[in-house]
Amino acid sequence: MTKNIAVVAANGKAGQLIVKEAVGRGNSVTAFVRSENKTIADAAVVKDIMDLTAEDLAGFDAVVDAFGAWTSETLPQHSSTLAHLCDVLSNTDTRLLVVGGAGSLFVNPEHTLTVSETLDFPDAFKPLASAMAKALAELRTRDDVKWTYVSPAGDFQAEGERTGEYLLGGEELLLNERGESVISYADYAIAMVDEIESGDHVQQRIGVVRK
């Protein structure tokens, strides 16, 4: 069944590929961007994420949050923007799917140790991982929103090839049969649109890795 999808922060690399994947399957897609639309979406709305209202997002089957922030000054926006989208979509039937991070995935069955807490996790990425983990923790408290948090593999490749295949996991870091934790943005986009079209992981975090 065709879905009516909104992609917020659609001009980013992940956002553009999610739009492309969704449009390619015949879904109706609206890109929400802060500047000129760089996607192939059917329609575009130029508006800052923090200015979006319930009226803006009314009528969509799913809203994809593809927001990203990378500097120390903007990292707190992972929490503030996600909280705003949750407030806008509170007590509606519209699903909220979040382009998440891998740092908060667990590496043990007891779920006491995350990827970002392991000894070989790069120091340069710890602030980003911490900010995204905080946003996820806050998201988990929202029982008024039909959210799904989609974590990529540890090696998330913007320019990686589209293989068309992936493995679906849950809270723990998933490795493929070659012992790799890697996925391209293009294959991640496939997983995201699959979840929109037929997934049922409401109020759950899922993870994806290249097959």
Side-chain angles (χ1 to χ4, degrees):
M1 181 187 301
T2 299
K3 299 290 186 179
N4 191 16
I5 302 168
V7 179
V8 179
N11 275 344
K13 290 182 178 179
Q16 288 188 52
L17 287 173
I18 291 168
V19 169
K20 182 179 179 181
E21 182 69 31
V23 170
R25 300 193 198 183
N27 294 291
S28 175
V29 183
T30 299
F32 285 84
V33 295
R34 288 193 301 174
S35 59
E36 181 183 0
N37 178 36
K38 299 177 183 178
T39 78
I40 63 167
D42 306 290
V45 176
V46 178
K47 198 168 190 179
D48 187 89
I49 188 172
M50 295 300 290
D51 294 329
L52 294 177
T53 66
E55 183 178 354
D56 290 324
L57 299 182
F60 289 104
D61 297 304
V63 174
V64 176
D65 175 15
F67 174 83
W70 319 106
T71 67
S72 58
E73 296 79 16
T74 59
L75 285 178
Q77 294 178 16
H78 282 283
S79 282
S80 60
T81 56
L82 186 51
H84 179 69
L85 289 177
C86 285
D87 291 342
V88 168
L89 297 175
S90 178
N91 296 312
T92 70
D93 287 329
T94 301
R95 294 184 62 191
L96 173 63
L97 296 101
V98 183
V99 176
S104 58
L105 288 164
F106 294 103
V107 295
N108 62 344
E110 297 81 17
H111 292 183
T112 57
L113 184 68
T114 64
V115 171
S116 65
E117 294 169 330
T118 57
L119 293 177
D120 55 353
F121 190 81
D123 288 341
F125 292 111
K126 287 182 178 178
L128 174 61
S130 178
M132 297 188 79
K134 179 176 182 290
L136 172 59
E138 294 163 353
L139 181 64
R140 292 187 194 275
T141 70
R142 300 296 298 249
D143 60 4
D144 58 325
V145 179
K146 293 183 176 181
W147 61 266
T148 303
Y149 190 93
V150 187
S151 285
D155 185 3
F156 196 20
Q157 300 180 340
E159 307 302 330
E161 68 172 327
R162 184 187 189 277
T163 70
E165 295 184 305
Y166 65 92
L167 301 173
L168 182 65
E171 289 287 347
E172 297 175 23
L173 182 70
L174 184 65
L175 303 179
N176 61 24
E177 61 182 14
R178 296 175 296 281
E180 301 169 333
S181 176
V182 60
I183 195 165
S184 66
Y185 278 42
D187 283 344
Y188 178 92
I190 294 173
M192 177 66 79
V193 179
D194 282 351
E195 178 62 27
I196 292 171
E197 291 183 341
S198 59
D200 57 358
H201 299 94
V202 174
Q203 293 188 344
Q204 296 180 45
R205 186 254 288 277
I206 56 176
V208 293
V209 66
R210 183 172 66 194
K211 191 169 181 179

